[in-house]
Every structure is written in structure tokens, then in C-alpha cells.
Amino acid sequence: MGITSITEKTSHHPVKPQSNVFGFNNTEAHEIFPQGGALTQIVIPIETFDTYADQLQRHDIDDNFRSKNHVNLLPTGMKEIKDYLKQILALAIYNPTWLQQPHIEQLISDDFVPLLISQIPIKLNSKSFVKPSRRAKLIIQAEKQILNSLEKPLTLKQLAENLGSSSSALSYGFKDLFGMSPMRYIKVRRLNAVRQHLKVRDRKRITIARVANQFGFWSLGHFIRDYQAMFGELPSQTEQN
């Protein structure tokens, strides 16, 4: 399965810029010709995609869905996917041997494929929903786990397993209560944690980069961009206030 994201409108499909993935059902996106944009192709074995879809209880992603060659995502969903891929690329550039570690491939799969699937719109007749009362309790438990793991690696799959739940239930619950995915929520919490540390840290002994690394931000450039977008100021400005 080729998952292809585009950044500009193309000439052969009725697509929306910044919001499409292509190439389901082993159908390549060979007729896509970007006009002045970037084309990113990620190949996911169909068996792997189906395995994660089953784990996420996405019963609506069936043969009928895969018979299509492309699907529209919400712009916010595509942004989360692109942001994640940019983080991976930055990590690979920062530490070239990082991707060669035996557990990294599985770690990325456990994060990226569920993230992709969670952004695919759900059919109204999907059976993947959890009752509101159970969902609220689940999200409260998830939030506690996240707050206790701000300085530790945490994947969506790990979080779901720790809670005895499914990744789909967590995804729907977080979007319902917070308007964002669990992984985005983790990033927001970690950015807030960095901000609090910058306000009280010893500037002579601990650098901004070290505080960012402490909470899982290994690309200083991406961290500064995300920090400024969230708080409206640079990390260096925070410590001056």
C-alpha cells in the first residue's frame, strides 16, 4: 500500500491540497503529477495496515474502502501526519544511526500507522465507538499516564495497552474532549512542561536544548517552531520574563 501525501493540487484527481492520501488496494499513484509541490510516498504493506486497522477496531476500513484510490483527510489531520514525519526526518539528520536501531522501525510503525488510520474519516455506521461515560473515564486515566510519562518515550499503542483499551477509543476520546489526537496532546503537555522548566532553571548550568531534550524534543529547530506557535514567543524570551 502506498500512502502518498501531496502539497499542491494535481491534474488527474478531484483532490484538495494538503488533505489527500493515495494508492490504496495496491494501486499506485502513478498518475499524480504535482505542479510545483512536493510528493511524499510511504509504502506500507497491506497486511501491516490491516493489522493496525483491526487493532483500532476500524471495521469501516474494508474492501470497499480499499477499492478507492484516494481519500480526503481533514487539513488538521494531514498536518499532524506531516509534523510527525518532519520530526522523524529531523531525528535522522540529528543522529544518522538512530534509524538503524533494531527497535526503531517497530516504534515508528506503532506511532505512524495508527496516526494515519485515526485521521481517515469514519463512516457513520462504524462499530468503533465507546459509550461517552466509559470514554470520559478512559481519558482521565490516559491523562494521568501521560503526565507521569512526560520524560519517557510513549507511543499510542503503549498507552492503550497500559490502560487495557484500544488505540481507536483513545483517539476518539481525545478528539471529542480536547479536539486533538493523543499524540498531539502529549506534545502540548510536554511543551508546557518545558515552559515551566525554562522559568525556573539555572541558566548557567542547563541550556534550552538540554531542557527540550529532556522532554523528547531532539530537533531544536522544530521545537522552537512548535514552542513559538503555541506560546507566541521564543523559548529564550520565556526565560527573560
Side-chain angles (χ1 to χ4, degrees):
M1 174 180 293
I3 307 301
T4 307
S5 65
I6 61 172
T7 58
E8 296 293 341
K9 196 167 184 178
T10 60
S11 59
H12 280 64
H13 293 278
V15 302
K16 299 177 182 179
Q18 307 285 352
S19 62
N20 287 88
V21 290
F22 285 86
F24 297 102
N25 202 30
N26 296 322
T27 304
E28 294 184 2
H30 58 275
E31 295 183 348
I32 299 175
F33 302 100
Q35 299 172 350
L39 185 71
T40 303
Q41 187 167 29
I42 302 166
V43 178
I44 302 173
I46 188 67
E47 296 83 4
T48 301
F49 186 86
D50 286 346
T51 296
Y52 283 99
D54 287 341
Q55 291 176 357
L56 293 169
Q57 300 178 30
R58 286 300 301 269
H59 309 294
D60 56 315
I61 301 181
D62 49 18
D63 290 339
N64 183 53
F65 168 81
R66 285 188 290 271
S67 67
K68 303 175 182 179
N69 188 46
H70 76 279
V71 62
N72 291 324
L73 307 184
L74 293 174
T76 52
M78 182 60 82
K79 183 179 185 303
E80 286 196 39
I81 291 172
K82 290 181 178 179
D83 284 347
Y84 179 80
L85 293 176
K86 288 177 182 177
Q87 290 277 4
I88 296 299
L89 179 60
L91 282 170
I93 294 174
Y94 178 80
N95 184 358
T97 63
W98 180 74
L99 288 174
Q100 299 174 10
Q101 299 179 58
H103 68 288
I104 293 301
E105 181 178 350
Q106 188 63 50
L107 186 67
I108 293 176
S109 295
D110 287 343
D111 273 346
F112 177 73
V113 183
L115 173 62
L116 171 66
I117 293 174
S118 69
Q119 303 303 335
I120 296 175
I122 306 170
K123 287 185 180 180
L124 294 178
N125 62 351
S126 171
K127 300 177 182 179
S128 302
F129 296 97
V130 176
K131 292 182 179 179
S133 58
R134 288 179 56 198
R135 179 178 297 174
K137 183 178 180 180
L138 175 65
I139 300 310
I140 291 174
Q141 294 173 336
E143 189 174 22
K144 290 181 179 178
Q145 287 261 340
I146 289 170
L147 293 177
N148 290 329
S149 305
L150 291 180
E151 299 181 38
K152 306 173 186 176
L154 182 65
T155 68
L156 179 59
K157 180 181 178 181
Q158 290 171 336
L159 181 60
E161 289 179 347
N162 291 344
L163 297 171
S165 178
S166 68
S167 299
S168 60
L170 287 175
S171 295
Y172 306 146
F174 271 87
K175 287 192 175 182
D176 185 34
L177 294 178
F178 301 115
M180 64 183 72
S181 70
M183 301 313 294
R184 174 62 182 171
Y185 183 83
I186 290 173
K187 177 185 281 189
V188 168
R189 280 294 193 173
R190 286 176 172 169
L191 284 170
N192 273 289
V194 171
R195 184 175 177 82
Q196 294 305 314
H197 275 65
L198 290 179
K199 290 181 177 180
V200 299
R201 73 187 177 92
D202 184 342
R203 301 179 195 178
K204 295 181 179 179
R205 298 180 58 187
I206 306 176
T207 65
I208 291 177
R210 184 175 174 183
V211 176
N213 292 166
Q214 179 180 342
F215 291 97
F217 298 102
W218 297 101
S219 168
L220 188 59
H222 282 94
F223 160 71
I224 292 175
R225 182 201 63 191
D226 291 339
Y227 189 96
Q228 186 173 26
M230 183 167 173
F231 300 114
E233 63 182 17
L234 296 171
S236 57
Q237 292 173 307
T238 298
E239 64 179 2
Q240 293 171 2
N241 295 332

